Amino acid sequence: MKLFVDTGDIEEVRQAAEWGILDGVTTNPTLIAKTGHGFKETVLKICDLVPNGAISAEVVATDYDTMLKEALEIHSWHPNIVVKVPLIEPGVHLVKTLSDKNIKTNVTLVFTVSQALLAAKAGATFISNFVGRVDDISDEGMVAVSKTVQMVENYGYDSEVLVASVRHPLHVVQAVEAGAHICTLPFKIMSMLFKHPLTDAGLKRFLSDWNDAGLSIFPKEA
Ligand code: E4P
């Protein structure tokens, strides 16, 4: 499963990229607004930090003609940019247009399998299925993810299912179990994936035993 970081914060992208496990970055208008910096400037810095990654940048218009202009502008900034498009009627139309031009798209704000079907049929590269926002209203967001993965596999659609709106590490485990292709995580959640108290305790014991025995990997200097 590919791991993306869900942020507009350059320092978070830099750190996640240094870990060597980062496959891409997702942004959205809210995350970009939080940075206090310009959209293009932020997205291009992210592209530099993750040179082989897919970097999602979202259109903000809601009518087809303006969305198309924005999409072509965003696409022109860097070859690794994936144009993020909300699942509304002109959005699906736009995804079909962009797909016909071989421009990669990430269809966002997808909550149901029926919405995902429209995105897949339009040729979406990624289908961003939101889970946390559904859990927040006392439903099970991951159910639609499993069914969407099944749909994509049954019908052989090219789209990859991207689990978005992740709130905790268990969502990552559930994304793996559902066979999702990608999971995008806030930096804080990505950092939590490293943590286990038995890892910390185990390492402490290994190092203390090693040091007590006076061992060294390198030859000791005479
Ligand atoms: C996905 O691409 C979105 O940017 C993101 O995952 C939304 O998460 P939220 O529900 O925590 O805002």
Side-chain angles (χ1 to χ4, degrees), residues 29-205:
T30 303
L31 293 171
I32 295 292
K34 265 191 211 162
T35 69
H37 299 288
F39 184 25
K40 182 174 179 181
E41 163 201 355
T42 303
V43 169
L44 288 181
K45 276 187 193 159
I46 294 174
C47 290
D48 281 349
L49 288 169
V50 193
N52 299 314
I55 314 302
S56 290
E58 188 164 341
V59 299
V60 289
T62 54
D63 67 281
Y64 175 82
D65 290 342
T66 321
M67 287 171 99
L68 177 59
K69 278 186 202 146
E70 290 179 352
L72 295 177
E73 168 66 18
I74 291 169
H75 168 69
S76 74
W77 295 344
H78 195 282
N80 293 354
I81 291 179
V82 177
V83 180
K84 208 168 170 189
V85 179
L87 197 136
I88 54 177
E89 288 176 26
V92 171
H93 180 187
L94 177 66
V95 170
K96 173 69 177 134
T97 304
L98 297 176
S99 158
D100 287 344
K101 294 176 186 290
N102 286 322
I103 295 176
K104 291 185 175 171
T105 54
N106 175 355
V107 179
T108 189
L109 293 167
V110 173
F111 293 90
T112 64
V113 182
S114 46
Q115 288 180 311
L117 173 63
L118 299 175
K121 285 183 69 67
T125 313
F126 305 144
I127 302 173
S128 280
N129 209 310
F130 281 43
V131 295
R133 293 188 193 190
V134 177
D135 291 2
D136 290 347
I137 56 164
S138 307
D139 211 337
E140 284 187 57
M142 205 56 77
V143 171
V145 171
S146 304
K147 291 182 179 178
T148 299
V149 169
Q150 197 67 62
M151 175 194 73
V152 164
E153 284 173 5
N154 285 350
Y155 293 96
Y157 291 122
D158 291 330
S159 308
E160 292 185 280
V161 180
L162 187 159
V163 176
S165 187
V166 163
R167 298 272 188 271
H168 46 67
L170 186 55
H171 275 152
V172 182
V173 176
Q174 291 167 335
V176 169
E177 287 168 352
H181 305 89
I182 307 163
C183 193
T184 190
L185 321 179
F187 179 77
K188 184 179 161 207
I189 310 299
M190 194 173 271
S191 310
M192 288 167 78
L193 300 186
F194 290 91
K195 302 293 178 196
H196 196 289
L198 291 178
T199 303
D200 296 341
L203 183 59
K204 195 171 168 198
R205 172 80 184 274

Side-chain angles (χ1 to χ4, degrees), residues 7-40:
T7 186
D9 185 310
I10 297 300
E11 286 316 311
E12 291 184 349
V13 174
R14 192 189 310 279
Q15 177 63 75
E18 273 177 19
W19 289 331
I21 45 82
L22 192 64
D23 300 296
V25 180
T26 48
T27 66
N28 64 36
T30 303
L31 293 171
I32 295 292
K34 265 191 211 162
T35 69
H37 299 288
F39 184 25
K40 182 174 179 181

